[in-house]
Amino acid sequence: MEKTVNQRAWLLVLPVFLLVAFSAVIPLMTVVNYSVQDTFGNNKFFWAGLEWFSELLHSERLWSAFGRQIAFSAIILALEVPLGVFVALNMPKKGIWASVCLVLMALPLLIPWNVVGTIWQIFSRVDIGLLGHTLAAMGIDYNYTRDPLAAWTTLVVMDVWHWTSLIALLSYAGLQSIPQAYYQAAKIDQASRLDVFRFIELPKMQGVLMIAILIRFMDSFMIYTEPFVITGGGPGNSTTFLSIDLVKMALGQFDLGPAAAFSLMYFLVVMLVSWVFYTVMTNMEKADTFHG
Amino acid sequence: MGWMAWTLPTATFFMVIGALLVLMTVLAMRYPETPRIGILHIETTRGDRLFISLLGSAFICMAWLGLVAASLWWALIVCLIYAGAVFRWV
């Protein structure tokens, strides 16, 4: 007989449900309400229907911010994931150096976003920053307030500096959980270093790597503080990512209706990606329990 | 509640979703089910299929607003067909 799913235990989740209702569901409902109305302040609202949604869906501004956001997430993932795995593979497996490495790797993760932004803002300045000044002395024209390429480079390098350790630490944990027997078997079969990586280490790291990629994608997709501190979305609009644009719209221009519609579309994309990753991850776990 | 700026359409929207959730809960308690694997090759329960239907419908409506000029009521029909397909085959 097949086991049936009993959903009654969900009732025990009620207290959490109430908490989430106040911290997430009610605010989200309010955003939905705002998104179909217009306001001139004073808590007075006028029905606008789906105007904001269709206006935004046809706006150059939203799509270019979306494009920049996707590009940013793709670039940092393409850099951080291979680099993180590479670092994890080369970290000492045990002894005092393993601990030293772990602590050193964890350090950037402990620094708050706005501080990271400030560090890199100063570090990259041409007049007083070590990086900017050195590059200028070498004859390279590097000015993140004027040149979009320099602004992007600064943001990407900063994110890689801040978050590669997370990928490295998760991959390291994945690597540590591989039993020695696998390596011994590989040695008996005279597997090359590449084969060991391809057929033992990578498949065993798959689970944690998926989590790492999910976390990094979400975080980079919602990045706000660092670009706000370093470039403020500029030069021009070149580093105006989705959240920066959203805040400009909601707080800068106080266009609550369009900003609410924007948030909802942003939320939908985040939800879709989360669901895909969650499904892939849970299915991977199930496949794992089947095949060992 | 005044600060939440409720409107009749948004209230209806949330009541429909709330009613669907209650219905799903009652169904799950009355008729427990086994998860099944459909065309997406993932295990789904009725609740999963409802979630996929709702999320997909949101995207269908957005695409309709962005690409098609016709009334959004037609998109709702597309959404219902889509939801039916999800419940039948996913």
Side-chain angles (χ1 to χ4, degrees):
Chain A
M1 200 186 98
E2 271 196 285
K3 220 173 82 186
T4 53
V5 179
N6 187 341
Q7 305 280 18
R8 233 164 284 180
W10 283 107
L11 291 177
L12 298 175
V13 187
L14 265 182
V16 177
F17 178 78
L18 283 179
L19 206 69
V20 174
F22 278 100
S23 66
V25 178
I26 289 177
L28 187 69
M29 281 175 163
T30 313
V31 171
V32 172
N33 293 340
Y34 283 0
S35 73
V36 292
Q37 297 179 85
D38 196 6
T39 180
F40 304 106
N42 215 8
N43 215 17
K44 282 204 171 59
F45 290 88
F46 307 92
W47 176 251
L50 293 163
E51 198 184 314
W52 303 131
F53 287 95
S54 60
E55 194 182 296
L56 280 168
L57 283 166
H58 291 107
S59 86
E60 175 69 31
R61 175 178 170 180
L62 177 91
W63 287 108
S64 46
F66 186 72
R68 282 190 289 268
Q69 187 70 70
I70 293 283
F72 181 75
S73 291
I75 292 172
I76 64 111
L77 280 178
L79 290 172
E80 285 173 19
V81 174
L83 194 63
V85 171
F86 179 76
V87 169
L89 287 171
N90 290 292
M91 267 165 73
K93 296 277 175 287
K94 48 179 172 273
I96 176 103
W97 287 110
S99 317
V100 171
C101 275
L102 284 177
V103 171
L104 285 179
M105 299 295 292
L107 275 181
L109 302 177
L110 299 175
I111 307 175
W113 291 261
N114 52 349
V115 178
V116 171
T118 314
I119 291 175
W120 281 82
Q121 208 260 1
I122 296 170
F123 185 52
S124 315
R125 276 175 66 161
V126 181
D127 51 352
I128 54 167
L130 185 61
L131 175 72
H133 193 74
T134 314
L135 285 174
M138 285 161 68
I140 300 167
D141 183 28
Y142 181 84
N143 189 332
Y144 63 84
T145 55
R146 204 178 53 217
D147 176 23
L149 183 68
W152 268 76
T153 313
T154 311
L155 288 177
V156 166
V157 173
M158 175 212 66
D159 203 83
V160 169
W161 172 82
H162 195 182
W163 292 109
T164 301
S165 336
L166 180 76
I167 310 244
L169 289 177
L170 284 169
S171 309
Y172 184 73
L175 281 174
Q176 291 292 63
S177 68
I178 304 175
Q180 273 303 314
Y182 283 84
Y183 291 107
Q184 288 158 359
K187 214 168 216 171
I188 293 169
D189 288 342
Q190 293 188 317
S192 67
R193 182 70 193 86
L194 195 68
D195 283 340
V196 171
F197 177 67
R198 167 79 185 72
F199 295 107
I200 298 174
E201 290 169 333
L202 202 54
K204 286 283 168 189
M205 277 194 294
Q206 212 180 17
V208 279
L209 266 186
M210 280 304 273
I211 296 172
I213 293 173
L214 173 64
I215 295 175
R216 278 317 301 140
F217 176 80
M218 283 306 156
D219 250 8
S220 64
F221 200 73
M222 301 188 287
I223 191 166
Y224 175 73
T225 319
E226 296 96 322
F228 174 73
V229 173
I230 298 179
T231 63
N237 271 333
S238 60
T239 54
T240 301
F241 300 123
L242 283 177
S243 56
I244 298 229
D245 209 13
L246 179 58
V247 172
K248 269 187 195 166
M249 201 180 274
L251 300 178
Q253 300 155 301
F254 215 71
D255 285 334
L256 284 188
F262 191 152
S263 319
L264 286 179
M265 291 193 276
Y266 199 171
F267 175 66
L268 280 178
V269 174
V270 170
M271 193 133 98
L272 176 71
V273 178
S274 308
W275 178 78
V276 169
F277 271 98
Y278 173 78
T279 311
V280 170
M281 258 157 52
T282 45
N283 276 281
M284 233 157 45
E285 270 164 33
K286 275 173 199 153
D288 240 20
T289 44
F290 276 128
H291 307 299
Chain B
M1 294 286 270
W3 62 274
M4 283 180 79
W6 281 105
T7 63
L8 185 64
T10 50
T12 317
F13 172 75
F14 281 116
M15 278 194 283
V16 169
I17 290 185
L20 281 172
L21 290 179
V22 170
L23 177 73
M24 282 291 151
T25 312
V26 173
L27 276 179
M29 280 157 72
R30 280 276 173 80
Y31 312 99
E33 54 167 344
T34 38
R36 69 160 195 231
I37 294 179
I39 48 165
L40 286 181
H41 299 288
I42 53 168
E43 266 189 10
T44 54
T45 59
R46 278 186 292 249
D48 292 324
R49 293 194 282 276
L50 176 68
F51 179 78
I52 297 171
S53 307
L54 288 177
L55 191 60
S57 301
F59 277 95
I60 290 173
C61 291
M62 288 296 134
W64 192 277
L65 268 181
L67 303 171
V68 189
S71 159
L72 206 62
W73 291 108
W74 296 107
L76 190 64
I77 294 174
V78 177
C79 290
L80 286 174
I81 295 170
Y82 165 75
V86 167
F87 270 85
R88 174 71 187 78
W89 287 298
V90 171

